[in-house]
Amino acid sequence: MLRTEKSGTWTAVSEPSQAEPPPPELDIVSRVVTGSTVVTVTGEVDTEAAPALHAALTTALDDTAGTCVLDLTTVDFLDSAGLATLVTADTYAAEHGKSLRIAVDSNSPVIRPIEITGLDIVLRLYHTVDEALEASNRPRRSEH
């Protein structure tokens, strides 16, 4: 607690705990581009945000005829829950005969956890949304 003096009296003012940061900002927007669904995510994908991303991807995959592009180019942080969501969504897409393509710039902070875990070999990654939209349905690298 902080104490501040106001007109000769002391007033207790509570300060936010450093151990409990506010939940991260997350923005998820879906749109249709040339017959494909593009899901753009901005902010941080962590344990709190992963369920919202999972729900948005499941809905997008259910609503699309074949291809869903996940745009992670404006994501600042991706933890293990976010990585698990990518794998789950990719599996869901495959089970339903659809394609999940992920746009993530090689300079993005989220590419590192994807590469460290080896998911860059499993997932269909592209540098831009346009590249992902223009790509044919190439198989995962592990399927070559």
Side-chain angles (χ1 to χ4, degrees):
M1 272 208 189
L2 292 179
R3 291 183 176 247
T4 59
E5 186 175 355
K6 184 176 182 180
S7 303
T9 61
W10 289 95
T11 305
V13 178
S14 101
E15 186 175 75
S17 168
Q18 296 298 329
E20 299 174 7
E25 293 293 321
L26 184 71
D27 188 35
I28 302 172
V29 177
S30 293
R31 67 188 196 283
V32 176
V33 178
T34 62
S36 296
T37 302
V38 177
V39 178
T40 303
V41 181
T42 303
E44 299 182 356
V45 181
D46 61 7
T47 303
E48 291 179 46
L53 178 59
H54 175 76
L57 286 173
T58 302
T59 299
L61 286 163
D62 287 343
D63 292 347
T64 191
T67 300
C68 177
V69 176
L70 174 60
D71 180 4
L72 296 179
T73 59
T74 56
V75 171
D76 303 319
F77 178 77
L78 182 70
D79 73 359
S80 59
L83 292 168
T85 299
L86 299 181
V87 173
T88 302
D90 188 62
T91 301
Y92 183 86
E95 289 172 351
H96 291 84
K98 300 184 181 185
S99 173
L100 177 64
R101 301 174 188 169
I102 301 171
V104 57
D105 188 293
S106 60
N107 294 322
S108 170
V110 301
I111 193 64
R112 185 120 169 95
I114 291 171
E115 291 174 338
I116 288 173
T117 56
L119 291 178
D120 59 323
I121 297 169
V122 177
L123 301 172
R124 293 176 183 91
L125 302 180
Y126 300 87
H127 294 284
T128 66
V129 171
D130 288 341
E131 184 183 311
L133 288 168
E134 294 168 5
S136 64
N137 271 335
R138 67 174 169 85
R140 293 179 186 89
R141 291 183 202 168
S142 61
E143 293 175 358
H144 294 275

